[in-house]
Amino acid sequence: MPDGMLGYGATVRIGRGATPAFTELELIGDLTLPDEQVDEVEVTHMKSPGRRRQFIAGLIDSGEITIPMNYIPDSPTDVLLRSIKASGEEVILEITLAGAEDPESFSAFLKGYGRSAPIGDKMTAEATFRLSAQIVSGG
C-alpha cells in the first residue's frame, strides 16, 4: 500500500427516486469531505466525582459538503442541480474517493447552488448539500 494518494479520480453521484437512479456530477473540483461532529451533553450532578463536569456523547451532526465544479450552463449537471434545488427533494449523495472500495453515501438536500461567470476566467459553480444521515450499505 502506498504512503499517500492523490484525490484525482474521485466521483460524486446523486441518487433520486424510491429506487434511486444515479447521475454523476460532471467536472467536479477539489473535495473536502464532511466533518461530522458529535454533540456533547452535560450530565454533571451534585455528586459528580472530583467536582468535575461530566459529559456524554450526543447526537451526530453530519454537516454539509460543498462540491466545487466547472460550470457549463444548461449541462446535464446544471439542469439536475437546478431541478433538485427547486423541488427541495431529499436525494442520496454518494462520494467515492480514488482508491476506495466503497462509496460514502448520505441522504441530503441541496441547500445552495451558486454559479459564477467572471469576465476573464472559467465559469464555476458550487453545490452545497446539507447531510441528514449516513447510509450504510448492507452486506
Side-chain angles (χ1 to χ4, degrees):
M1 176 168 268
D3 291 337
M5 293 182 68
L6 297 177
Y8 178 81
T11 60
V12 176
R13 298 190 325 155
I14 304 293
R16 299 175 81 181
T19 304
F22 281 90
T23 304
E24 185 173 334
L25 296 183
E26 300 169 335
L27 308 174
I28 64 170
D30 296 342
L31 294 176
T32 300
L33 297 178
D35 179 17
E36 295 184 310
Q37 297 286 313
V38 178
D39 288 338
E40 58 183 50
V41 177
E42 186 174 347
V43 294
T44 308
H45 53 86
M46 292 296 185
K47 294 187 179 186
S48 288
R51 288 184 327 140
R52 303 213 180 256
R53 294 185 185 274
Q54 294 178 285
F55 299 90
I56 59 172
L59 299 177
I60 298 171
D61 184 339
S62 294
E64 298 179 348
I65 184 171
T66 298
I67 301 164
M69 61 197 87
N70 295 346
Y71 176 58
I72 308 293
D74 297 322
S75 68
T77 293
D78 179 47
V79 171
L80 172 69
L81 293 173
R82 285 188 287 134
S83 171
I84 291 170
K85 185 176 177 193
S87 72
E89 71 189 277
E90 192 166 279
V91 297
I92 296 173
L93 183 69
E94 180 188 88
I95 305 160
T96 306
L97 297 179
E101 290 186 29
D102 297 313
E104 293 182 39
S105 299
F106 300 88
S107 63
F109 67 88
L110 182 58
K111 182 176 175 179
Y113 180 47
R115 298 166 287 166
S116 174
I119 292 173
D121 204 352
K122 68 180 180 184
M123 292 191 287
T124 61
E126 288 188 336
T128 300
F129 288 88
R130 181 62 163 112
L131 308 178
S132 297
Q134 187 168 23
I135 300 169
V136 180
S137 58

